[in-house]
Each structure stands twice: as C-alpha cells, then as structure tokens.
Amino acid sequence: VLFHLRHHLQYVLNCIENDQEDEAKKYISTICEEIEAQRVQRYCENDAVNLILSAFVGQAKKAGVTMQVLGYLSDFILASDSDLCVLLSNALENALNACQALPKEQRALRVAAKFQGDAKLTVAVDNPCPQPVEFDAQGFPLAPAREGHGLGLKNVAAAVKKYHGVFQCSCQNGEFHFRAVLFAPGDSPS
C-alpha cells in the first residue's frame, strides 16, 4: 500500500474533484483494511517506520528480493512521520524496482536507519547495480524520461533540506548507494 501512496491519493483527489464522495470513502476504507491486514514487524521503536519497513519487506518477498533491515530508531525522533515516509518509501521503492530487473540470485537490498542521540538520523539503502549509472549536476540519477519519474528523489531532497541534512546517491563496485542524514535544529554541520 505504501508503495503507491501518491497513486492512491491522486485517485481519492480525483474522486473528490468529480463529486464522487461515496467512491472516495469506499476506496479509503479498502486501503485502511489492507493496511490493517498487513503484519507489522517491529524493527525499532518508531511505529511509522515499522509500518513502512514491514510493507516493503512484504513487497520484496513477493518479488523474490531478499531485504535486510537494521533499524535503531526510538519512538520520538526529529523527523515527522510524513517526512520519514517520503524518505524511506522513495529510497526503498527505487531499490526494489532496481532489484526486480536483476536475475533472481542477485535480488537483495539492505536498509539501515539509525538515530544517534537527539541530533542525527541516518538512512542508508544499498542494492546491486551491475550497470553504470549517470548522475545530473544535482546528483540525481539520470533515467529514461517517463511521467512522474524522478519526482521521488526530489521530494526526498526537499524533506532532507527541512532538517538541514544531506543526501547522496552513488554507484560503485556494482552497488547503488542511497544515503541521507538529517540533523536536529542547531546541530547541522557548518
């Protein structure tokens, strides 16, 4: 469900704009039932992060992708749940999509999220990437143009900027690396 959150929201918005309130309510109820039916694994103390990670672990399993999760997040962290959703969902969706294009024996990804003290949140996502990746001047991976593609990482960059953080994508030694670091106000690097 979290994989395509923007698509769900676009559908609901379309229903509302076309005066189809009953259809929108029905759709929202269906989504809520699907979320409730998912088994939420506890990876850390943050419920929103557990929900996101559990959803992606389920999707990875269905796609034949091994997903290793390391989560060290407390219940209270410096980022809002919505910003965490943007950050984790986009990074994991990109990694999972990349893995699905690989032979089954290469389908694996790792995600680590760690909160250090009260000041710094780090997120790392790694996946195999046998083909070289080109990056634009802002450090975003270049990909074939298609509608809506490329917006996810720009949303990640905006969320990271809110927390005076940094984010970087790189491709080295056959692996794609996503890194983001968020800082509490007053703790960002100079």
Side-chain angles (χ1 to χ4, degrees):
V1 172
L2 291 174
F3 257 143
H4 305 287
L5 182 59
R6 71 176 169 265
H7 301 295
H8 292 301
L9 293 175
Q10 287 171 340
Y11 179 79
V12 171
L13 180 61
N14 187 48
C15 287
I16 292 168
E17 288 174 344
N18 290 303
D19 295 322
Q20 297 173 330
E21 187 176 322
D22 289 338
E23 184 64 27
K25 287 178 183 178
K26 180 180 171 185
Y27 191 75
I28 291 169
S29 293
T30 301
I31 292 171
C32 289
E33 288 171 12
E34 289 177 12
I35 290 171
E36 290 295 323
Q38 286 183 4
R39 181 172 170 248
V40 177
Q41 179 71 34
R42 189 162 176 82
Y43 296 100
C44 63
E45 294 179 36
N46 186 284
D47 291 336
V49 171
N50 288 331
L51 179 61
I52 293 165
L53 293 175
S54 294
F56 277 93
V57 166
Q59 291 292 331
K61 189 174 185 176
K62 286 179 187 174
V65 176
T66 302
M67 185 170 160
Q68 180 184 15
V69 178
L70 301 170
Y72 305 103
L73 300 179
S74 63
D75 185 31
F76 176 77
I77 58 176
L78 60 98
S80 71
D81 288 348
S82 61
D83 288 330
L84 283 173
C85 181
V86 166
L87 184 69
L88 286 170
S89 294
N90 281 294
L92 290 170
E93 181 176 12
N94 290 342
L96 190 55
N97 286 340
C99 285
Q100 290 176 349
L102 298 173
K104 289 188 187 270
E105 65 276 3
Q106 295 178 11
R107 294 181 181 183
L109 67 92
R110 292 179 309 280
V111 58
K114 185 175 183 181
F115 191 57
Q116 299 169 314
D118 293 332
K120 185 165 96 171
L121 168 67
T122 60
V123 175
V125 179
D126 302 301
N127 59 276
C129 185
Q131 301 300 319
V133 175
E134 292 184 45
F135 297 89
D136 67 13
Q138 289 87 27
F140 295 107
L142 294 174
R146 44 182 218 261
E147 188 177 336
H149 187 70
L151 296 176
L153 286 179
K154 290 180 182 170
N155 290 335
V156 167
V160 169
K161 186 177 180 180
K162 281 175 56 176
Y163 299 94
H164 312 287
V166 292
F167 112 93
Q168 176 186 16
C169 295
S170 64
C171 189
Q172 300 169 339
N173 302 322
E175 280 214 341
F176 189 89
H177 306 283
F178 169 93
R179 301 290 184 267
V181 180
L182 283 63
F183 296 94
D187 289 325
S188 61
S190 303

